[in-house]
């Protein structure tokens, strides 16, 4: 007989045994299939059918990751995700039956780490779970990584703590990883595909994931996110962290194998910091 949930040890990187996944979906067939595949993958799985139930089970089950349907009775997945992220950095993979980009972006903006559109392959979902958990656990326990600091920003990878001018930054898991990566490579331009691979650990995926996270990160580290001075958009490529002269990062990761690139020339941006065609910028 298993002990009640409240008597189980906290989930996380220090917990021994199978990792825990909470599956939240009001469709019993989908929930059963997803839970079955995850259990065969070696995970301990709990289930909830609605928003309030998801929050209740998350508090008792203390999952390492939540697979969360967007459309739920009682409380939609977006609100559930907001409340989950307000209590801690648990990774969330959002399930959505809608194909609209706006729905996917909303999920990412409230803190979801990934999303899967229905209908989906259960095996693909398990791979996404593995990827998110692998990056999450690796990020929580870095070894031999020094504190990074530049332009008023300071990141302590070991403590998972970031500050701006001494004030604590409330960053999601991916926002923290993205800021850390950029601070390690000041003045270097990276394509969205590269950032997806290096920060998310994905070889494929929707590049709007990167765009949304950059926009959210700008809102937390820039004086004026509409006219960013630090995280610059490199037209036709991706993004670059600009550090004022004489304000280089305190430490870098000497073992990082990412290809070094010279700083890109001055890029063209619209007022939101997104790339625009040269004709529009010149007009």
């Amino acid at each position: 007989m298993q002990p009640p949930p409240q008597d189980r040890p906290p989930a996380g990187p220090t917990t021994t045994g199978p990792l825990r996944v909470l599956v939240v979906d009001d469709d019993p067939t989908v929930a059963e299939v997803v839970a079955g595949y995850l259990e065969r993958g070696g995970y301990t799985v709990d289930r909830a059918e609605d928003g309030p139930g998801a929050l209740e089970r998350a508090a008792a089950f203390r999952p390492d990751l939540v697979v969360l349907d967007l459309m739920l009775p009682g409380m939609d997945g977006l609100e559930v995700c907001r409340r989950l992220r307000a209590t801690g950095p648990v990774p969330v993979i959002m399930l959505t039956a809608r194909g609209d980009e706006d729905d996917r972006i909303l999920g990412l903006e409230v803190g979801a780490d990934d999303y899967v559109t229905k209908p989906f392959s259960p095996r693909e979902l398990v791979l996404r779970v593995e990827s998110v958990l692998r990056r999450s656990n690796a990020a929580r326990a870095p070894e031999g990584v020094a504190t990074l600091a530049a332009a008023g920003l300071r990141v302590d990878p070991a403590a998972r703590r970031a500050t701006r001018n001494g004030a604590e930054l409330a960053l999601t898991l991916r926002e923290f990883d993205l800021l850390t990566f950029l601070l390690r490579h000041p003045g270097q331009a990276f394509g969205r595909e590269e950032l997806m691979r290096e920060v998310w650990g994905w070889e494929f995926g929707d590049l709007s994931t990167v765009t949304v996270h950059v926009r959210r990160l700008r809102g937390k580290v820039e004086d004026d996110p509409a006219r960013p001075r630090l995280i610059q958009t490199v037209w036709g490529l991706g993004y670059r962290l600009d550090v004022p002269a004489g304000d280089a990062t305190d430490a870098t990761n000497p073992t990082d194998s990412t290809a070094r690139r010279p700083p890109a020339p001055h890029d063209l941006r619209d007022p939101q910091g997104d790339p625009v065609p040269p004709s529009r910028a010149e007009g």
Side-chain angles (χ1 to χ4, degrees):
M1 179 177 178
Q2 291 186 337
Q6 61 269 25
D7 293 336
R8 298 175 189 170
T14 59
T15 303
T16 59
L19 294 174
R20 300 169 182 169
V21 179
L22 174 62
V23 176
V24 185
D25 199 306
D26 62 329
D27 185 327
T29 301
V30 172
E32 183 176 354
V33 170
V34 169
Y37 270 80
L38 288 169
E39 288 169 347
R40 286 194 289 276
Y43 298 98
T44 298
V45 180
D46 195 12
R47 289 162 55 177
E49 298 179 353
D50 55 30
L55 297 175
E56 180 181 345
R57 292 308 306 150
F61 185 63
R62 307 184 76 169
D64 296 283
L65 181 142
V66 178
V67 176
L68 177 63
D69 190 25
L70 177 63
M71 301 299 293
L72 292 171
M75 181 188 303
D76 67 24
L78 294 175
E79 182 60 25
V80 173
C81 187
R82 288 190 188 96
R83 298 194 185 190
L84 286 174
R85 297 315 299 265
T87 63
V90 58
V92 174
I93 295 179
M94 193 80 75
L95 302 180
T96 173
R98 303 175 183 176
D100 293 341
E101 183 178 358
D102 289 347
D103 292 321
R104 300 196 296 269
I105 290 176
L106 276 174
L108 295 171
E109 286 186 334
V110 299
D113 296 272
D114 195 3
Y115 64 85
V116 177
T117 303
K118 296 179 181 179
F120 57 86
S121 163
R123 292 183 63 187
E124 177 190 352
L125 178 59
V126 173
L127 291 175
R128 294 291 187 98
V129 168
E130 292 173 353
S131 174
V132 171
L133 282 172
R134 182 169 58 249
R135 299 291 294 186
S136 173
N137 290 336
R140 288 172 182 168
E143 297 182 0
V145 180
T147 297
L148 303 165
L153 299 170
R154 181 172 292 272
V155 169
D156 183 347
R160 299 293 293 178
R161 183 170 181 263
T163 61
R164 178 175 181 264
N165 298 326
E168 194 88 17
L169 289 173
L171 301 180
T172 66
L173 176 70
R174 289 292 174 255
E175 290 167 1
F176 185 94
D177 292 344
L178 179 59
L179 178 59
T180 301
F181 182 81
L182 292 174
L183 279 172
R184 285 182 180 144
H185 308 289
Q188 299 172 44
F190 295 94
R192 291 170 178 82
E193 295 88 349
E194 289 179 281
L195 291 172
M196 180 164 284
R197 182 173 62 250
E198 297 295 335
V199 178
W200 278 260
W202 304 345
E203 293 297 333
F204 63 92
D206 189 338
L207 297 182
S208 66
T209 299
V210 178
T211 305
V212 169
H213 280 80
V214 168
R215 184 167 69 237
R216 286 178 55 84
L217 185 57
R218 279 175 172 157
K220 298 178 181 181
V221 304
E222 299 280 1
D223 292 327
D224 182 358
R227 293 174 175 80
R229 295 177 55 253
L230 299 176
I231 304 176
Q232 302 288 350
T233 298
V234 181
W235 180 72
L237 178 62
Y239 303 99
R240 180 186 72 239
L241 176 69
D242 280 353
V243 175
D247 192 15
T249 53
D250 290 349
T252 57
N253 185 355
T255 61
D256 194 345
S257 60
T258 303
R260 299 298 191 263
R261 300 183 175 193
H266 183 70
D267 54 286
L268 303 175
R269 298 179 301 278
D270 67 11
Q272 298 303 317
D274 293 323
V276 298
S279 59
R280 178 178 165 190
E282 295 167 0

